[in-house]
Amino acid sequence: RRGTAFHGWLERRFAASRLFDVDELPGASDDDQLPDDTTLDRLRTAFLASEWAARTPYDLEVPFETEIAGLTVRGRMDAVYADPDGGWTVVDWKTGRLPDEDRMPALSVQLAAYRLAWAALSGSDIADVRAVFHYVAHNSTVRPSDLLELTGLADLIDTVSDDQA
């Protein structure tokens, strides 16, 4: 619910018509209580102190669907920023704690899929698309440098499929 409430606040802040209503976001029906105002206020304050607050996103809550190794991958990218160098940065907002370093390779698969999807949607070369996690409460942007491309994601899916066969 913390993430859902934070996304709702971002919707209002950026006045983005493409964002969902707070009640429509994933996890909205998990329980009946929104996080207390103190928690949401801390997230707002932290976001406003971040590098992202001064920038205007190119797009928000961008839906995508792509096929990788015969598997349809669907999702929504939280925010996409046009960068001064002509490239793009896809940002996934995280409202929880920073993950342990050993979890980052698995978590980065999400960013790799976002990067691939935005390259396809925007007609950009994948080399011009970056993807990051921003851990709002910690004002920490994690920029993995070794994100998989299409072949790497396909190999990963094939490996997982082979392991389950």
Side-chain angles (χ1 to χ4, degrees), residues 8 21 58 105 114 120 130 140:
D21 183 62
Y58 177 82
Y114 287 177
R130 293 165 280 276
S140 178

Side-chain angles (χ1 to χ4, degrees), residues 98-114:
L98 288 162
D100 294 331
E101 193 64 33
D102 60 334
R103 291 196 58 225
M104 283 312 299
L107 295 174
S108 294
V109 171
Q110 176 186 5
L111 293 180
Y114 287 177

Side-chain angles (χ1 to χ4, degrees), residues 79-139:
V80 179
Y81 289 85
D83 293 329
D85 66 359
W88 302 96
T89 299
V90 178
V91 180
D92 187 56
W93 310 120
K94 298 293 187 191
T95 57
R97 63 183 174 86
L98 288 162
D100 294 331
E101 193 64 33
D102 60 334
R103 291 196 58 225
M104 283 312 299
L107 295 174
S108 294
V109 171
Q110 176 186 5
L111 293 180
Y114 287 177
R115 184 173 172 243
L116 183 68
W118 183 253
L121 287 170
S122 66
S124 300
D125 186 295
I126 195 165
D128 294 331
V129 181
R130 293 165 280 276
V132 302
F133 292 120
H134 181 72
Y135 290 84
V136 179
H138 304 278
N139 193 8

Side-chain angles (χ1 to χ4, degrees), residues 36-111:
D36 63 60
D37 288 340
T38 304
T39 302
L40 195 50
D41 284 344
R42 280 195 314 261
L43 289 172
R44 288 179 189 138
T45 300
F47 177 81
L48 293 172
S50 77
E51 66 183 280
W52 305 105
R55 295 181 65 184
T56 301
Y58 177 82
D59 209 346
L60 292 164
E61 291 295 323
V62 181
F64 72 89
E65 180 176 312
T66 191
E67 187 170 312
I68 304 170
L71 179 69
T72 301
V73 178
R74 293 181 187 93
R76 285 189 182 276
M77 294 172 264
D78 289 344
V80 179
Y81 289 85
D83 293 329
D85 66 359
W88 302 96
T89 299
V90 178
V91 180
D92 187 56
W93 310 120
K94 298 293 187 191
T95 57
R97 63 183 174 86
L98 288 162
D100 294 331
E101 193 64 33
D102 60 334
R103 291 196 58 225
M104 283 312 299
L107 295 174
S108 294
V109 171
Q110 176 186 5
L111 293 180

